Amino acid sequence: MGGLGRLGGAPAELERARKAAQQLKGDLMKNLTAALAEGGAPQGVRVCAEIAPGIAAGLSKDGMTVRRVTTRPRNPANAPDAWETAQLEGLAAAHARGQMPAEIAEVVEAAPAGAARGTARELRYLSPLTIAAPCLQCHGDPAGIDRR
């Protein structure tokens, strides 16, 4: 699993990633809370399925891509790549041990197609989007989901 010690000279990029992750989480929760109050679980589903990707797209700029990933995606666009899969598995193991990190960041080699290896490096960053009480209206026990 990547660690902050491997970042070398990427503190500005790391701070941008942190801010974008916090913005995504805040905007998502604000929209979700309002939607659930207005229309219950069906409106909440709309926020996660339709509004969250737009929030992430709006935060994706200046070479930074912001998105939600999961090992159990409902939307194929949220499927993790190989690096993300390895990190998500590490997060799941850490969570099971009660040691969930606030973030994972690592600078990795990222050679564009056709380029020589080692020609580019990029910051990879994950910040867990944890399930909060409003999320459980749709992501909790299926027996308790309001399907109006």
Side-chain angles (χ1 to χ4, degrees), residues 27 34 36 72 107 111 114 118 120 122:
D27 288 356
L36 289 170
R72 298 182 318 191
V107 175
E122 69 179 8

Side-chain angles (χ1 to χ4, degrees), residues 42-135:
Q43 289 290 45
V45 168
R46 186 178 156 275
V47 168
C48 288
E50 300 171 16
I51 295 174
I55 295 169
L59 293 168
S60 296
K61 56 187 169 197
D62 300 325
M64 180 171 59
T65 301
V66 176
R67 67 191 202 105
R68 298 172 301 151
V69 297
T70 178
T71 56
R72 298 182 318 191
R74 292 179 181 184
N75 177 342
N78 296 335
D81 63 23
W83 183 89
E84 292 162 339
T85 297
Q87 303 311 314
L88 290 170
E89 289 170 356
L91 282 173
H95 183 263
R97 293 187 309 271
Q99 301 172 338
M100 181 66 108
E103 63 185 12
I104 296 171
E106 182 178 2
V107 175
V108 299
E109 205 173 280
R117 292 190 56 76
T119 59
R121 298 180 58 75
E122 69 179 8
L123 173 67
R124 301 297 308 264
Y125 180 83
L126 290 177
S127 178
L129 181 62
T130 55
I131 298 289
C135 306

